[in-house]
Amino acid sequence: GLYNLTVQIQNSGSGGTEDLKKEAKNAFDKAKQLCPRCQDIFSGIIRSYLGAGEYELSKKTSENCMNLFPSFDDCLWLRGVSNIYLNNLEEGRKDIEAFYSLGHDPVNYGVQSELLLAYVSIKDKNQSKEYYQDLVEIYQRLILTNEATVQYHASLAYVYFSLGRYADARKEANEVLKLKPELKASVEA
């Protein structure tokens, strides 16, 4: 129930409908009443806030989660992701690096996909060199999870190009051609 509501909100396009948000909030409130110290409930709550575009609320909830469950690393991760959505890159990076330093594998598809969504959401707000450098790391890690994904190579080529790293961009474009030769005209353009 709770998970399905969270997925519906995240997949509903522009932050979810108000009815889904209200239903999810009521479900999570009820779950908290039934099991106030259940850690996973907080992960679901925070992710539903992220899916609904409630980034300040997701950050505050992740901080509450960290206070209640100091050894539950998902709270730290989600605070980092919340900070990225809020365009607080430096704070977000610190939390994410701290999460990795606890032994979590950064070459994990789910982790990097969640992080990529946050970065893509702030693209219009942040065109800094640091922003693009973070994207390089994310795409490199996603490629390690699945080298055959053309979109990751194409996106990494674009990011390298945006950074002025033309040789690296060309290398990734060649990877796209190896995987999908029919894209030659697009790659050359």
Side-chain angles (χ1 to χ4, degrees), residues 21-54:
K21 290 180 192 178
K22 186 176 180 181
E23 188 178 345
K25 184 181 180 324
N26 290 338
F28 284 120
D29 287 344
K30 181 69 173 174
K32 275 195 324 191
Q33 288 173 356
L34 295 172
C35 185
R37 301 212 37 98
C38 292
Q39 301 169 355
D40 292 336
I41 292 171
F42 276 90
S43 293
I45 291 170
I46 297 163
R47 283 187 171 89
S48 71
Y49 290 150
L50 290 172
E54 300 287 344

Side-chain angles (χ1 to χ4, degrees), residues 60-129:
K60 288 178 186 172
T61 305
S62 61
E63 288 169 349
N64 289 338
C65 180
M66 290 172 69
N67 291 333
L68 285 171
F69 310 107
S71 62
F72 186 47
D73 299 345
D74 207 30
C75 302
L76 175 63
W77 169 256
L78 290 169
R79 184 175 72 179
V81 172
S82 297
N83 273 313
I84 299 299
Y85 273 106
L86 289 166
N87 201 23
N88 300 330
L89 295 184
E90 190 173 332
E91 290 177 50
R93 264 190 230 105
K94 286 179 186 175
D95 287 338
I96 290 163
E97 288 304 317
F99 176 80
Y100 295 151
S101 73
L102 294 172
H104 297 279
D105 185 6
V107 182
N108 174 292
Y109 177 79
V111 166
Q112 293 306 310
S113 295
E114 192 168 34
L115 191 55
L116 180 61
L117 286 175
Y119 272 87
V120 168
S121 79
I122 63 167
K123 182 180 183 214
D124 294 336
K125 298 177 194 170
N126 199 322
Q127 299 289 307
S128 69
K129 183 177 179 180

